[in-house]
Each structure stands twice: as structure tokens, then as C-alpha cells.
Amino acid sequence: MDIARPTRAEQARIAGACRHPQGNFEPVVLASPEHLPAYFEQRAAAFGARLALRKAEQRLTHRELQTLASSLAQRIRARSGPHAAPVALLVENGP
């Protein structure tokens, strides 16, 4: 998996568009993209009942988000067969 790292200008633009309740962001540096699922699971375990996403009246806790992400990953794996391959997803805009 190849994930391009955003430039500092892109990071500033993204941070400016986000609405964090305390106005601060925790930088995350992963050794490789393969470490992202484990990091996500650790965060869900540590902050299970805390709000992870909000859009209008929709809200998801870290635990709910982890459950949905795991369910989606399992469905993708079940359909992809024995060989890993890139997958494109078309999803609605929202949590």
C-alpha cells in the first residue's frame, strides 16, 4: 500500500478545515501504512465511549467506528478471495 504524505502546506490546510473541540491535533507518525489498523484498534480501545466523528446530528464513538470499520474489512476480505488486491470504495459523505 502506498500512501503519499501531505506537505506541510497541505497539513495546515487540512488542520484549518477541521473542527477539533479543543483546537489541537495529535500528530501520528506510523512506521508503515500496515501499522494503521493496529493504531486504530488501540485508539478505539483507549477511547471507546468518546466521540470519534460527528456530522450534523450523526455521531459515532471510537468503539462504534471500530466496529463498522472491522465489519467493512471483513466483508472486503470475504469477497476478495485468497489474493490481496487494491480495493476502491464508493461511500456516502458522512460518518
Side-chain angles (χ1 to χ4, degrees):
M1 180 188 326
D2 184 28
I3 299 176
R5 293 181 186 243
T7 65
R8 290 194 189 276
E10 290 171 322
Q11 291 176 19
R13 182 187 58 77
I14 292 167
C18 293
R19 304 291 180 257
H20 188 279
Q22 286 95 23
N24 55 9
F25 295 88
E26 177 183 328
V28 175
V29 179
L30 301 172
S32 73
E34 288 78 23
H35 289 99
L36 184 58
Y39 174 80
F40 194 72
E41 289 173 9
Q42 290 170 354
R43 298 294 288 189
F47 302 109
R50 288 178 54 187
L51 183 66
L53 291 173
R54 180 182 68 191
K55 182 174 182 184
E57 296 303 315
Q58 294 178 301
R59 288 173 168 70
L60 289 175
T61 65
H62 286 270
R63 186 176 300 114
E64 291 168 332
L65 183 59
Q66 172 62 29
T67 299
L68 289 172
S70 293
S71 174
L72 177 60
Q74 290 171 3
R75 291 181 6 219
I76 291 170
R77 283 189 205 113
R79 291 184 181 189
S80 64
H83 303 291
V87 175
L89 300 176
L90 177 63
V91 296
E92 295 179 22
N93 183 10

